Amino acid sequence: MLGKLQNRFQNFKKKVVEPVQIQQLEIELLAESVLDSSYLILIVGSCAIATFGLLTNSSAVIIGAMIVAPLMLPIRALAYGALQGNVILFRKGVIAVAVGTIIAIAIAYGLGLFVSLPRFGSEVLARSEPTLLDLGIAVAAGGISGYAKVEPKISGSLAGTAIAVALMPPICVIGLGLSQANFSLSIGATLLYLTNLLGITLSCMLTFLLAGYASLHRARKPLLWTIALTVILVIPLGVSFYRLLRQAQLETSVRRALLSKTVTFQRLQLLTLETNWLTNPPQIRLNVRAREPVTPRQVQLLEEFIEREMGQSFTLIFEVGEVQEVQRED
């Protein structure tokens, strides 16, 4: 078994792509990065669908926009253009991506102003806090799309659909955040979009390189630049990922404390838990239902329990909704 794997790896390294195949790939990628009316119509349509899906907090509608979104095609073109030093292909890919992004942001901004929702739902907020997991998704999906382009047995449209999942929604969130002057929301969505863009580009470049469509000597410089830019993004993504793990650990500790017999919270029902990590110490806001008032002593006991569990102090704020049983009078 090991011998067969070694033989396959040796054959893969010896694989030589004919110049005709490289030329054909460049022609196809050039056609996919043309900024024509079809591309613009798909951008407008997918952005409108995604924005309405985000405003209505409908994951099904957002998935529909993901299927339509055409942004993956010029991203593959700019990735291969950078890898091969093809200035024309790279420039066309960059222009198509930039124009599509700007149009989508403008449409989402206009729809956000027109609808003027008082607050956004979970689908919008979920795309404002990217982590290392999002980078992993982008890299994996970009590799599939690049491989589908050089492997005729795999449907290119299938891979393009898989990649488009991560592209259009965060662009629309950027515009929606700007429409309400919520710059933290727009910045978070921008970070997610750049994460997807660089992750897809990097994995496409590596796929084209490993498939033999570019030489390592020519591809070394653009590949190193792309890796460097991706590494820069790893810093904020790593911070967000660490915060995500801490948040999960914190919620587990709070729920365990509310159920523990050592703390007198048996009659509380936890509805939501929000943490503000920017304050010092971090502030936890608990929305609960209770049959009896929550006392300052109970809050102190819970703070001490969480500090022991987490190794860090927190400030707790309870928002208590009183539960009353009401029946009709005979």
Side-chain angles (χ1 to χ4, degrees):
M1 182 65 180
L2 182 60
K4 291 182 179 179
L5 291 176
Q6 289 178 343
N7 291 334
R8 289 185 179 182
F9 183 71
Q10 292 294 334
N11 293 333
F12 178 78
K13 292 197 300 182
K14 295 177 181 179
K15 181 181 178 180
V16 178
V17 178
E18 299 295 332
V20 177
Q21 294 176 282
I22 296 177
Q23 185 178 5
Q24 180 64 30
L25 178 64
E26 291 180 351
I27 293 173
E28 293 177 1
L29 291 174
L30 191 62
E32 291 177 354
S33 60
V34 173
L35 191 63
D36 55 9
S37 59
S38 299
Y39 174 78
L40 296 177
I41 290 172
L42 289 177
I43 287 291
V44 173
S46 62
C47 175
I49 297 172
T51 304
F52 284 127
L54 291 167
L55 291 173
T56 58
N57 206 41
S58 172
S59 57
V61 177
I62 297 172
I63 291 173
M66 296 171 183
I67 296 174
V68 178
L71 280 171
M72 183 54 213
L73 302 180
I75 291 178
R76 288 193 304 200
L78 71 87
Y80 188 74
L83 201 64
Q84 283 283 58
N86 189 326
V87 179
I88 296 176
L89 184 59
F90 177 77
R91 184 172 64 242
K92 283 186 175 293
V94 169
I95 292 174
V97 171
V99 171
T101 301
I102 294 171
I103 291 175
I105 292 175
I107 292 174
Y109 175 80
L111 291 175
L113 287 177
F114 179 75
V115 177
S116 298
L117 288 180
R119 59 180 300 178
F120 294 122
S122 59
E123 290 291 343
V124 173
L125 300 179
R127 288 166 174 85
S128 63
E129 298 178 353
T131 67
L132 289 174
L133 299 177
D134 296 289
L135 180 60
I137 294 171
V139 169
I144 293 173
S145 180
Y147 183 69
K149 190 62 186 174
V150 299
E151 179 55 57
K153 295 181 181 179
I154 300 179
S155 172
S157 60
L158 176 63
T161 300
I163 300 303
V165 170
L167 292 171
M168 186 57 71
I171 299 176
C172 298
V173 173
I174 296 172
L176 292 175
L178 293 176
S179 69
Q180 292 192 356
N182 190 338
F183 299 112
S184 61
L185 181 65
S186 295
I187 291 173
T190 301
L191 180 60
L192 176 58
Y193 175 59
L194 293 177
T195 298
N196 295 332
L197 183 63
L198 284 174
I200 292 168
T201 303
L202 177 60
S203 57
C204 280
M205 293 172 71
L206 290 173
T207 302
F208 291 140
L209 180 63
L210 292 175
Y213 281 82
S215 64
L216 182 59
H217 176 73
R218 177 179 293 179
R220 182 180 289 109
K221 187 174 181 179
L223 197 57
L224 289 177
W225 271 105
T226 308
I227 292 174
L229 293 174
T230 306
V231 169
I232 293 174
L233 285 179
V234 167
I235 298 174
L237 294 176
V239 173
S240 298
F241 183 67
Y242 174 75
R243 186 175 297 173
L244 178 66
L245 295 178
R246 294 284 287 176
Q247 181 71 23
Q249 182 183 358
L250 176 62
E251 291 184 6
T252 302
S253 298
V254 171
R255 294 184 185 278
R256 184 163 60 248
L258 295 181
L259 296 174
S260 173
K261 295 181 180 180
T262 60
V263 183
T264 56
F265 281 107
Q266 289 80 28
R267 297 184 179 181
L268 286 184
Q269 179 184 1
L270 179 63
L271 301 179
T272 60
L273 183 151
E274 296 180 358
T275 308
N276 183 2
W277 294 95
L278 300 179
T279 59
N280 188 21
Q283 189 179 87
I284 306 174
R285 189 172 295 273
L286 301 165
N287 186 358
V288 300
R289 288 178 181 171
R291 294 182 179 274
E292 299 176 359
V294 177
T295 66
R297 175 59 179 167
Q298 288 175 310
V299 176
Q300 179 184 351
L301 289 173
L302 184 56
E303 285 183 347
E304 292 173 354
F305 179 86
I306 294 175
E307 184 174 357
R308 290 194 301 269
E309 290 284 309
M310 300 289 293
Q312 179 182 359
S313 61
F314 291 86
T315 300
L316 299 184
I317 300 175
F318 276 82
E319 296 178 351
V320 184
E322 186 178 359
V323 177
Q324 291 182 336
E325 292 184 356
V326 180
Q327 296 180 348
R328 70 178 185 178
E329 294 181 355
D330 293 333

